[in-house]
């Protein structure tokens, strides 16, 4: 009974996270709609990640345990970055640093193990994606270390840190849901009696790939806009003064 309740909560939270995360990407940054969508997105994603870890433990799926933990870490640290003022850090950040560092090392070690075995994938995940995710984890750890050694992040760097972690967390959720085994969207909609009434084009792998990659495209767009244009330079000081920044 507990398993079923957590599974349903995990699915519902994931769907909410995908919907509101997509909405937050397109709403004007700092607008009331963006703030509301961002809050629902964060709450949904954290709930989804906790559910994912529990379900992975029950099913003995080590890879999904790491996926749930890194998603929680990315969304959580993105939220903390937005809540804090320029240059603000805490001793707890040194503990958080261990999450992507340890996961990144183990993910790379697992990728090397797969290559040495002569396989090209593990549990349906291409080895290239394993190395990609491990590299992103290590980059996140390097970013944490640079932030702590440098006394925090300031201005547009703080906004960029928030943006890329939010977008990449959304990418992980989208990939897990859309590119998971046995066409999860079709199974979910068929389970409530809707799958057979919708066009088959809505369940194509090509469409799923586009939707999965979309958060990465938006990630690049917003990072370029924030770091290399003047779009946010005038608002950085104002944003820094607000503890509820949700850019």
């Amino acid at each position: 009974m507990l398993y079923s309740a957590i599974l349903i909560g995990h699915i519902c939270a994931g769907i909410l996270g995908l919907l509101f995360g997509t909405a937050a990407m397109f709403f004007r940054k700092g607008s009331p709609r963006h703030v509301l969508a961002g809050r629902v997105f964060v709450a949904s994603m954290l709930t989804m990640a906790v559910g994912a870890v529990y379900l992975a433990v029950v099913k003995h799926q080590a890879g999904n345990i790491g996926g749930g933990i890194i998603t929680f870490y990315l969304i959580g640290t993105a939220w903390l970055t937005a809540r804090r003022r320029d240059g603000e850090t805490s001793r707890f950040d040194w503990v958080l640093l261990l999450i992507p560092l340890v996961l990144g090392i183990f993910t790379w070690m697992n990728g090397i193990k797969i290559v040495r075995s002569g396989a090209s994938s593990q549990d349906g995940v291409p080895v290239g994606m394993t190395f990609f995710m491990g590299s992103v984890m290590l980059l996140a750890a390097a970013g944490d270390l640079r932030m702590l050694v440098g006394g925090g992040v300031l201005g547009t760097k703080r906004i960029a840190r928030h943006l890329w972690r939010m977008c990449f967390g959304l990418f992980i959720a989208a990939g897990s849901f859309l590119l998971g085994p046995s066409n999860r969207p079709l199974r979910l909609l068929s389970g409530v009696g809707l799958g057979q009434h919708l066009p088959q084009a809505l369940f194509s792998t090509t469409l799923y790939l586009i939707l999965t990659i979309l958060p990465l495209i938006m990630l690049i767009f917003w990072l370029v806009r924030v770091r290399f244009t003047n779009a946010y330079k005038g608002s950085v000081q104002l944003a820094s003064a607000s503890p509820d920044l949700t850019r």
Side-chain angles (χ1 to χ4, degrees):
M1 186 69 179
L2 176 62
Y3 176 87
S4 298
I6 293 179
L7 177 61
I8 293 173
H10 168 71
I11 294 172
C12 292
I15 293 174
L16 279 177
L18 291 174
L19 293 176
F20 281 90
T22 302
M25 284 195 301
F26 289 98
F27 287 149
R28 182 176 61 84
K29 301 299 173 284
S31 68
R33 290 187 300 175
H34 175 81
V35 172
L36 177 60
R39 288 174 177 170
V40 176
F41 170 68
V42 170
S44 300
M45 289 291 289
L46 294 181
T47 302
M48 183 273 295
V50 171
V53 172
Y54 171 81
L55 295 171
V57 170
V58 172
K59 295 182 177 182
H60 306 288
Q61 298 173 337
N64 288 338
I65 294 174
I69 292 174
I70 197 64
T71 300
F72 191 97
Y73 158 82
L74 288 171
I75 300 300
T77 53
W79 177 77
L80 283 175
T81 301
R83 293 280 297 180
R84 292 171 172 172
R85 299 178 183 274
D86 273 356
E88 184 179 352
T89 61
S90 73
R91 293 180 181 177
F92 184 61
D93 291 322
W94 288 100
V95 178
L96 292 177
L97 163 65
L98 298 176
I99 296 176
L101 180 61
V102 173
L103 286 177
I105 292 173
F106 275 105
T107 301
W108 257 88
M109 290 175 60
N110 185 51
I112 294 173
K113 179 181 177 182
I114 295 171
V115 172
R116 287 181 173 176
S117 70
S120 60
S121 65
Q122 184 180 58
D123 299 328
V125 180
V127 67
M129 178 57 70
T130 299
F131 284 122
F132 172 67
M133 290 299 299
S135 298
V136 171
M137 294 172 189
L138 293 177
L139 285 173
D144 285 353
L145 182 61
R146 184 174 62 178
M147 176 190 72
L148 290 166
V149 172
V153 285
L154 311 173
T156 55
K157 290 183 179 180
R158 184 167 68 92
I159 298 175
R161 174 183 166 88
H162 169 77
L163 284 170
W164 90 258
R165 288 167 184 256
M166 286 290 192
C167 288
F168 203 86
L170 180 60
F171 163 73
I172 294 175
S176 177
F177 179 68
L178 296 172
L179 300 179
S182 303
N183 202 322
R184 284 174 176 165
L186 178 58
R187 284 190 292 131
L188 180 61
L189 291 172
S190 297
V192 294
L194 295 176
Q196 63 271 28
H197 302 297
L198 297 173
Q200 289 301 309
L202 293 177
F203 306 108
S204 68
T205 302
T206 301
L207 177 61
Y208 291 167
L209 283 172
I210 293 173
L211 293 177
T212 299
I213 296 173
L214 180 61
L216 292 184
I217 296 174
M218 295 302 297
L219 185 158
I220 295 171
F221 168 79
W222 283 115
L223 285 182
V224 171
R225 182 173 172 81
V226 168
R227 294 299 301 273
F228 302 107
T229 71
N230 295 322
Y232 285 89
K233 295 189 183 300
S235 60
V236 169
Q237 184 175 359
L238 178 62
S240 301
S242 173
D244 292 315
L245 172 66
T246 53
R247 294 184 186 281

